[in-house]
Amino acid sequence: MLDLERLRALHSVATYGSVSAAADVLHVTTSAVSQQLAKLERETGQKLLERNGRGVRLTDAAELLVAHAERILSLVERAQADLEAHRGSVVGQITVAAFPTAVRGLMPAALRELRTDHPELRVMVREEDPMQSMPLVVRGDFDMAVVQDWNNEPLPLPDGLHKGVICEDVADVALPADHPLAGRDAIDLKELAGDPWISSSPDSICCDWLRRTLRAVDSEPRIEHMVYEFASQLALVAAGFGNVILPRLGRCDVPPGVAIVPLADPLSRRVYAVWREEAARRPAIRAVVTALRAAAPAGETGDRADDRTGDRVGDRVGVPVRVPARS
């Protein structure tokens, strides 16, 4: 009989490339992972790992076993979800990865509601860029991710994931107060061609999106400063060092010396929760999605379809979708 935890250890080594990386993900020591693998080798009568320089590589037998382990672990997760759904109780633990402004603008209120309504549910949150968080959900490191896409650049959804709309988040332009266009009721991005810009780190989804958005209006981006936190970006705007595209969700206090101007052709991002198909029936998934929607800014309600499958997201998670109005 194959031991599930030993299969999980082998699968983690295959996924993350080393015993030490697998130990980090599984929150155990490298010695514990090595012991599990040694027991699995005795259990199967097959050599599973071979030395490869300073690391290890999987044998053909291990590769075969990993393919089965993926299906077995997926079935176990589906069984656990079905049992939770049958019981109907929101209990246990759920891990959520979320991008920074969702952590600031949604998670505190959502966590308060979950603690009040479902005291037996433990929610653990970690801040992650959407490009990193979705692979973490696919691999099973996290149960859910809160991610974003923009109205001019839809989010590709990996196979095996479902998503539910949380809210829509409009963005404005933050300009130095002495900028020639700072007093306008609305401006077009084309009018800012040639201006310096401030964005987040070069490998982030936000920086990539800003470059493509500016190029789409024939404005070659001059991103002169790369700072992750919006508060720091706004401090640079106030000092006159560039402009920032500033979403409204989780917006920090705007310092003196900064003018916030709406865009004539609005840019908005949609905020989603994503989770694995195997976990779709978990009451905890539905509870977290419900709490996130309740934490979003109030606005009009309406159903949204899952962009990949065409299924009604509201039906999938058991609650209606609330989409705040543009303003």
Side-chain angles (χ1 to χ4, degrees):
M1 179 71 69
L2 294 172
D3 182 88
L4 186 62
E5 291 309 311
R6 293 167 197 165
L7 287 177
R8 197 184 305 278
L10 178 64
H11 183 263
S12 295
V13 172
T15 301
Y16 300 102
S18 71
V19 172
S20 60
D24 289 341
V25 170
L26 296 173
H27 306 292
V28 297
T29 65
T30 55
S31 176
V33 173
S34 296
Q35 289 175 23
Q36 291 279 39
L37 295 175
K39 291 177 181 177
L40 187 59
E41 286 186 332
R42 292 195 296 271
E43 194 172 67
T44 59
Q46 301 270 358
K47 189 171 181 59
L48 301 176
L49 297 180
E50 294 178 341
R51 288 289 179 187
N52 184 28
R54 295 185 178 181
V56 295
R57 72 173 185 86
L58 271 64
T59 64
D60 291 343
E63 295 282 4
L64 178 65
L65 193 54
V66 166
H68 287 291
E70 288 179 353
R71 294 191 293 271
I72 292 167
L73 294 173
S74 176
L75 285 171
V76 169
E77 182 175 15
R78 191 182 297 273
Q80 290 172 336
D82 285 346
L83 284 172
E84 286 187 29
H86 180 74
R87 183 170 52 187
S89 301
V90 181
V91 297
Q93 176 177 293
I94 188 165
T95 52
V96 182
F99 62 94
T101 47
V103 172
R104 184 167 59 247
L106 294 174
M107 294 309 306
L111 291 172
R112 281 196 300 269
E113 178 172 316
L114 289 165
R115 184 170 58 188
T116 299
D117 295 347
H118 308 291
E120 295 184 69
L121 177 66
R122 183 186 182 199
V123 184
M124 301 176 67
V125 178
R126 190 170 91 188
E127 187 175 290
E128 291 284 351
D129 185 89
M131 298 307 292
Q132 279 74 52
S133 64
M134 284 199 295
L136 292 173
V137 174
V138 171
R139 293 192 310 225
D141 296 356
F142 283 81
D143 298 305
M144 177 184 289
V146 181
V147 299
Q148 61 174 343
D149 66 10
W150 290 88
N151 57 352
N152 62 340
E153 191 169 309
L155 177 76
L157 189 68
D159 289 339
L161 293 188
H162 287 166
K163 69 179 180 181
V165 179
I166 301 302
C167 65
E168 192 166 325
D169 184 23
V170 177
D172 305 304
V173 180
L175 304 171
D178 59 359
H179 192 286
L181 302 179
R184 294 272 293 275
D185 292 333
I187 56 177
D188 194 299
L189 272 181
K190 290 182 179 180
E191 298 178 272
L192 300 173
D195 277 15
W197 289 88
I198 302 160
S199 186
S200 53
S201 56
D203 59 345
S204 70
I205 188 173
C206 293
C207 189
D208 288 343
W209 169 82
L210 178 60
R211 287 194 179 100
R212 290 190 289 268
T213 297
L214 292 173
R215 286 171 181 152
V217 295
D218 299 320
S219 175
E220 186 60 27
R222 286 178 53 200
I223 301 177
E224 297 191 351
H225 304 283
M226 293 185 175
V227 181
Y228 209 83
E229 287 294 330
F230 279 139
S232 301
Q233 292 179 9
L234 289 175
L236 290 172
V237 175
F241 289 106
N243 311 327
V244 166
I245 298 289
L246 188 65
R248 297 177 185 176
L249 178 66
R251 183 175 295 182
C252 56
D253 292 338
V254 178
V258 176
I260 305 296
V261 185
L263 288 162
D265 186 11
L267 288 171
S268 64
R269 59 182 182 176
R270 187 160 297 157
V271 179
Y272 298 96
V274 298
W275 57 89
R276 291 183 300 282
E277 290 177 352
E278 292 86 355
R281 295 191 63 200
R282 288 185 64 188
I285 294 287
R286 295 197 297 272
V288 173
V289 172
T290 300
L292 287 168
R293 288 174 177 161
E300 66 184 32
T301 60
D303 291 330
R304 285 286 181 182
D306 180 312
D307 293 340
R308 186 174 65 83
T309 65
D311 295 334
R312 304 304 291 185
V313 175
D315 293 340
R316 184 188 304 285
V317 297
V319 290
V321 177
R322 299 196 313 121
V323 182
R326 294 179 185 271
S327 58

